[in-house]
Amino acid sequence: MTTASPAPTAAATAWYPGDRPAAFTPPQILSTAVVIREAVHLVTAPAEPGIGIGVGGSTGPAAPARQALHLIGTLPPLYPEWLGDRSFGEAHGVRFPYVAGEMAGGIATAAMVTAMARAGMLGFFGAAGLYPDRVEREVAELASGLAGKPNWGINLIHSPGEPLLEEQVAEIALRHRVPAVSASAFMSLTPAVIRTAVSGLHRGPQGRVLRRTRLFAKVSRPEVAEPFMSPAPRPLVRALVERGQLTEDEAELAARVPVAEDVTVEADSGGHTDNRPLTVLLPAMLAMRDELTARYGYDRGIRIGAAGGLGTPAAVAGAFALGAAYVLTGSVNQAARESGLSDDAKAMLAQADVADVTMAPAADMFELGIKVQVLRRGTLFAARATRLYELYHDHDSWEEIPPRQRARVEQEIFKAPFDDVWAETRRFWQRQDPSRLRKAEQDPRHRMALAFRWYLGKSSRWAVSGNTERRADYQVWCGPAMGAFNRWAADSFLAGPGGREVVQIALNLLEGAAVLTRAHQLRSHGVAVPAAAFAFRPRRLA
């Protein structure tokens, strides 16, 4: 590693070149601008036009007897580790302000989480959509393999129709002392998420409130974010105390801290999304954070991270420039070697462009009309799932649907008789939540919804398992960042799925963001930075 040149003293008015001359021409500026781990001196010379940049050398008072350039300023070294909020690294034991998000159905695998943790980053296991026994096995494996490491976690997804499942995953996280939990798709606070956030609160040596489990909240609306940035609601806390799931001491400390100290602002992402632009959403969340911090008198700040649409170094640099404390990526990691997605689906993702995504009904919130963003290219899932929702919306039961339309659903979407689909669905809910079956027996419309959800649930599993006979029905959660990443990675070692490793993706996005940030700094100080300085190309990084 190159040693950074010393910062100029108050009397420094000159820069004395070392073994590298100052850069004034576009090619020289281009080669010097990418040197981010050393201080860069802004200089002028009588015989040179504009402002040049110098690296190395020394600074000091002008001396007529020495060859010197006029020094007008110095930019300190810039490391990828220094992007974002330094407190993020301190709180989570990471080197980089970067998170690999919790792609559901185990697509964010234990192997992916492990690779991120060992590289000094943070990863969340995609627990959503998995049976509790599978979640328990994966968490036990992670807890054993990453024993003592604080920089890993799992997902807790809101399950409005299955509160028991939500409670079970929260219990698993607490029982195995999972250090971080990412709460996603929540529309309001629930007992499970409050218990996760408050359990283990205690006072440190200086009286500061410390957490056993660090809760991340993934949000896309201010009205959803505000409760997470506020102290836990007293009625929910008291109810958990009465159930014996929180202690009186934990309840008292819950009033002194926000539910989540890390809030991930999710813009136009894959999966559950409101398709909001980050440039609008993030500043609003930052302003709300500042207001709530002042209102409740927190003794430390809430970190606001950015997610959604982050598939290139420029997007990551932009998120940090907006004020993000950290960044979280999702879609781009699905095509990584460590992803749990099938090779067949990864190959489809590697061909996606920025417009090859669309919205489709969500399996877990089908009846509510909630949608997720998915891959459109190469699959008919979105159109078929939308058709099922329209039929559900327009009819009170399967039997009420006109026979011709029912036949098309069985032949083109289910590829099986409705009765067979219902029999399999019934077995699933008998194991998962028998109360749903009792409701279905009394409500034909609910029975229809559960059968339609069979297709939505199966479609994501077909993509994970690589069932090529159902390739046209693959449900692959994906945002436009995937297409942007493919364009940026074209003709590089990251172009094909075989070369995409989650850590290399992260390091390249961060390194590129630092290089672009330096180029922006130089340009804002008057240096004529060539456009090529803003086009960082992927490279293998240690």
Side-chain angles (χ1 to χ4, degrees):
M1 183 181 296
T2 306
T3 303
S5 14
T9 65
T13 58
W15 176 70
Y16 298 93
D19 57 353
R20 289 173 285 185
F24 284 94
T25 67
Q28 293 171 340
I29 291 174
L30 180 61
S31 64
T32 308
V34 298
V35 181
I36 60 174
R37 290 173 173 81
E38 295 185 62
V40 175
H41 306 289
L42 309 178
V43 297
T44 59
E48 300 289 353
I51 299 173
I53 53 178
V55 175
S58 61
T59 62
R66 298 178 63 190
Q67 184 179 7
L69 282 74
H70 178 59
L71 177 68
I72 61 175
T74 298
L75 296 175
L78 176 62
Y79 288 76
E81 293 92 326
W82 296 353
L83 299 170
D85 190 330
R86 301 285 183 89
S87 71
F88 183 81
E90 296 168 2
H92 303 292
V94 295
R95 178 181 173 189
F96 300 97
Y98 187 100
V99 180
E102 60 274 19
M103 295 169 289
I107 294 173
T109 60
M112 181 177 289
V113 174
T114 299
M116 293 296 290
R118 291 176 176 167
M121 291 175 267
L122 179 64
F124 286 107
F125 173 70
L130 300 180
Y131 288 123
D133 55 354
R134 164 82 184 278
V135 175
E136 181 119 36
R137 288 197 305 272
E138 299 283 357
V139 168
E141 176 187 331
L142 285 165
S144 174
L146 297 176
K149 284 188 173 292
N151 55 327
W152 65 276
I154 70 169
N155 174 225
L156 175 65
I157 195 167
H158 183 38
S159 305
E162 302 170 66
L164 178 60
L165 177 61
E166 197 176 302
E167 297 274 358
Q168 288 173 319
V169 174
E171 175 64 32
I172 290 169
L174 294 173
R175 185 165 59 250
H176 289 275
R177 297 293 185 97
V178 174
V181 171
S182 180
S184 61
F186 281 82
M187 295 176 286
S188 60
L189 299 179
T190 67
V193 79
I194 294 299
R195 183 185 175 202
T196 303
V198 176
S199 290
L201 289 181
H202 61 284
R203 288 192 182 277
Q206 283 77 42
R208 193 180 191 193
V209 179
L210 302 179
R211 295 183 183 272
R212 188 176 69 198
T213 304
R214 304 184 308 278
L215 186 77
F216 284 66
K218 188 180 284 185
V219 299
S220 56
R221 300 184 183 190
E223 65 269 24
V224 175
E226 183 171 356
F228 279 104
M229 292 193 233
S230 304
R234 185 169 177 79
L236 274 177
V237 173
R238 291 310 310 169
L240 289 167
V241 170
E242 291 168 5
R243 286 162 56 178
Q245 294 179 320
L246 290 179
T247 67
E248 290 288 355
D249 287 344
E250 289 168 340
E252 189 274 327
L253 294 177
R256 301 176 181 274
V257 293
V259 173
E261 290 183 32
D262 294 275
V263 175
T264 306
V265 176
E266 189 173 30
D268 194 7
S269 64
H272 291 285
T273 180
D274 282 326
N275 306 108
R276 300 286 187 264
L278 190 65
T279 51
V280 173
L281 199 56
L282 188 61
M285 297 293 194
L286 289 168
M288 176 182 287
R289 183 270 313 273
D290 295 342
E291 176 191 340
L292 293 173
T293 298
R295 180 191 305 174
Y296 294 111
Y298 299 139
D299 63 0
R300 56 188 183 269
I302 298 170
R303 291 171 292 272
I304 306 295
L310 305 182
T312 64
V316 172
F320 284 125
L322 283 169
Y326 60 93
V327 294
L328 181 149
T329 58
S331 295
V332 298
N333 299 324
Q334 285 199 97
R337 287 166 56 182
E338 299 89 348
S339 162
L341 202 63
S342 67
D343 290 343
D344 192 43
K346 290 177 186 178
M348 293 170 64
L349 278 173
Q351 299 300 315
D353 208 340
V354 292
D356 291 334
V357 294
T358 189
M359 300 300 292
D364 55 345
M365 301 183 189
F366 180 79
E367 295 95 325
L368 299 176
I370 304 298
K371 294 185 176 183
V372 291
Q373 190 157 221
V374 297
L375 181 68
R376 181 182 62 181
R377 179 172 180 164
T379 171
L380 298 174
F381 166 76
R384 289 174 172 175
T386 299
R387 181 57 183 147
L388 291 179
Y389 181 76
E390 290 171 346
L391 291 170
Y392 167 77
H393 184 270
D394 294 342
H395 299 89
D396 291 328
S397 69
W398 168 255
E399 290 73 19
E400 186 183 290
I401 299 172
R404 181 175 295 182
Q405 295 186 47
R406 276 187 280 154
R408 290 191 61 182
V409 169
E410 291 177 319
Q411 294 166 11
E412 299 175 8
I413 302 179
F414 289 165
K415 301 188 187 305
F418 179 87
D419 288 344
D420 291 354
V421 168
W422 175 245
E424 185 175 341
T425 301
R426 197 177 192 288
R427 287 192 296 271
F428 171 83
W429 287 109
Q430 188 66 51
R431 172 185 176 182
Q432 190 77 358
D433 184 359
S435 67
R436 304 302 292 269
L437 292 179
R438 292 192 292 271
K439 182 178 178 181
E441 291 169 358
Q442 300 170 358
D443 182 357
R445 193 162 185 261
H446 184 62
R447 176 171 174 264
M448 176 174 57
L450 294 182
F452 287 176
R453 285 177 58 181
W454 171 91
Y455 171 76
L456 275 70
K458 284 284 191 179
S459 59
S460 59
R461 292 180 176 86
W462 290 326
V464 170
S465 66
N467 185 345
T468 55
E469 292 182 359
R470 300 304 298 255
R471 181 183 291 133
D473 296 295
Y474 281 1
Q475 178 183 182
V476 181
W477 302 298
C478 177
M482 189 74 253
F485 178 88
N486 287 335
R487 284 177 169 266
W488 169 63
D491 301 320
S492 77
F493 80 101
L494 290 176
R500 294 180 176 181
E501 298 173 351
V502 67
V503 171
Q504 282 297 316
I505 290 171
L507 291 176
N508 272 271
L509 289 175
L510 287 170
E511 183 81 9
V515 170
L516 267 64
T517 299
R518 171 68 92 200
H520 279 291
Q521 289 176 337
L522 292 169
R523 187 171 67 176
S524 67
H525 284 83
V527 179
V529 181
F534 297 89
F536 179 87
R537 296 290 300 151
R539 62 205 63 175
R540 291 199 175 274
L541 298 169

